[in-house]
Amino acid sequence: MDSQIHGSGRVKTAQRVFDIIELASDVGGVRTREVSDELGIAQSTAHGYLMTLEALGWLVRDDARFRLGATFLRYERAARDRLDLLERIDPTLSWCAEETGETVWYVGEEQGRAIYLSKREGPRASRSNGAVGKRAPLHATACGKVILADQPDARLEEIDLPRYTAETITDRDALRAEIREVRNRDIAYNDGETTARLRAVACPVRSEDAVIGAITVCGPERRIDDTASRTRLRTLLRGAANEIELNLSDACF
């Protein structure tokens, strides 16, 4: 199989694999000839893709047809679990957005990056704060610092520290000191470290004493820069994090 790059940097092999999975998702599955015709590739190449996906458990064969294998069920369950988690979190994000007037996010970690999983916007929110699914560096974001603070110190030695603005922490000793502060106060700040004049405050969300994510409020520096506004946001976020933790715990009283 070729691994040629095309279009906007996509790998052709990966694109074809997902095209084949789409074809196989039809109720009746897909035949080698159909893959060949739909993708404009030789039947021998189509057969090679199908056999590889079958060997990996992504497809199963019924006579000459290939359909989705049980491996997909594992990922479906994971997707459903994440959706269920977000359904429990979103009401809290909504009232936080109304209370602050700003953009409120729930953020997790994926492959060493912060990933923005859910978003609510208050009446004053900037419309340029990104979309759900965006990824961001751990060392330069409030939510990322909260996540790093729950990890071993050795983790700080492993991550890259690229610079995004003049305020980004790129010195490892300075990052260690910052993370110690986050652990002490159980809150983290982003003072224009990813985007100039953007500020954010984040609080950890825990499950069984482990940080599973962060709730964060972001907005322009003129509204999130003085001591009074930070104190208010800190109190509000801690209450919100506690509410989320209770909603996720299925606690009975």
Side-chain angles (χ1 to χ4, degrees):
M1 298 179 194
D2 64 74
S3 57
Q4 191 175 355
I5 303 295
H6 71 109
S8 58
R10 294 172 298 173
V11 178
K12 187 182 293 185
T13 296
Q15 182 70 54
R16 283 179 177 169
V17 165
F18 284 101
D19 288 340
I20 291 168
I21 287 170
E22 284 289 328
L23 293 172
S25 66
D26 290 341
V27 175
V30 68
R31 294 177 184 270
T32 300
R33 177 63 178 271
E34 293 166 345
V35 172
S36 173
D37 291 345
E38 285 288 334
L39 301 186
I41 58 178
Q43 287 196 50
S44 59
T45 302
H47 186 67
Y49 277 103
L50 292 167
M51 293 296 289
T52 300
L53 289 169
E54 181 189 19
L56 294 172
W58 294 103
L59 299 180
V60 294
R61 186 166 21 168
D62 288 331
D63 295 325
R65 288 191 172 276
F66 293 81
R67 57 180 175 78
L68 299 187
T71 300
F72 279 97
L73 295 176
R74 175 157 51 97
Y75 293 92
E76 179 190 20
R77 284 194 295 271
R80 287 182 183 274
D81 288 346
R82 176 165 282 186
L83 288 173
D84 179 61
L85 178 144
L86 295 179
E87 285 175 359
R88 298 184 185 207
I89 287 171
D90 283 347
T92 303
L93 299 188
S94 294
W95 75 252
C96 274
E98 285 299 317
E99 284 289 320
T100 63
E102 308 291 357
T103 302
V104 182
W105 292 93
Y106 178 76
V107 183
E109 181 190 7
E110 193 171 86
Q111 297 179 325
R113 304 271 286 177
I115 179 168
Y116 291 72
L117 297 172
S118 192
K119 173 186 183 182
R120 291 294 182 272
E121 293 181 339
R124 297 186 302 175
S126 166
R127 296 301 183 262
S128 61
N129 282 334
V132 169
K134 75 173 182 176
R135 286 168 168 76
L138 296 177
H139 72 292
T141 55
C143 52
K145 292 174 189 176
V146 161
I147 291 167
L148 282 175
D150 191 57
Q151 298 182 359
D153 288 339
R155 184 76 177 92
L156 302 180
E157 310 303 319
E158 300 170 352
I159 63 172
D160 294 329
L161 305 178
R163 182 180 298 279
Y164 297 91
T165 72
E167 305 302 324
T168 307
I169 298 174
T170 57
D171 176 79
R172 219 163 287 276
D173 288 335
L175 180 62
R176 291 190 202 99
E178 177 80 357
I179 295 304
R180 282 196 297 271
E181 284 296 311
V182 174
R183 288 170 179 159
N184 289 335
R185 64 194 178 214
D186 211 31
I187 206 85
Y189 301 105
N190 173 358
D191 291 323
E193 295 162 58
T194 49
T195 303
R197 295 183 296 281
L198 181 72
R199 298 289 185 267
V201 184
C203 185
V205 174
R206 293 182 171 89
S207 176
E208 299 180 352
D209 295 326
V211 172
I212 60 170
I215 182 170
T216 183
V217 174
C218 64
E221 64 179 1
R222 63 187 177 85
R223 295 202 295 259
I224 309 181
D225 201 32
D226 60 274
T227 302
S229 64
R230 289 194 174 200
T231 300
R232 175 173 174 267
L233 288 176
R234 182 170 66 243
T235 301
L236 183 143
L237 286 177
R238 282 177 173 160
N242 181 247
E243 180 175 289
I244 290 171
E245 289 163 357
L246 288 173
N247 288 339
L248 294 179
S249 71
D250 289 323
C252 296
F253 301 94

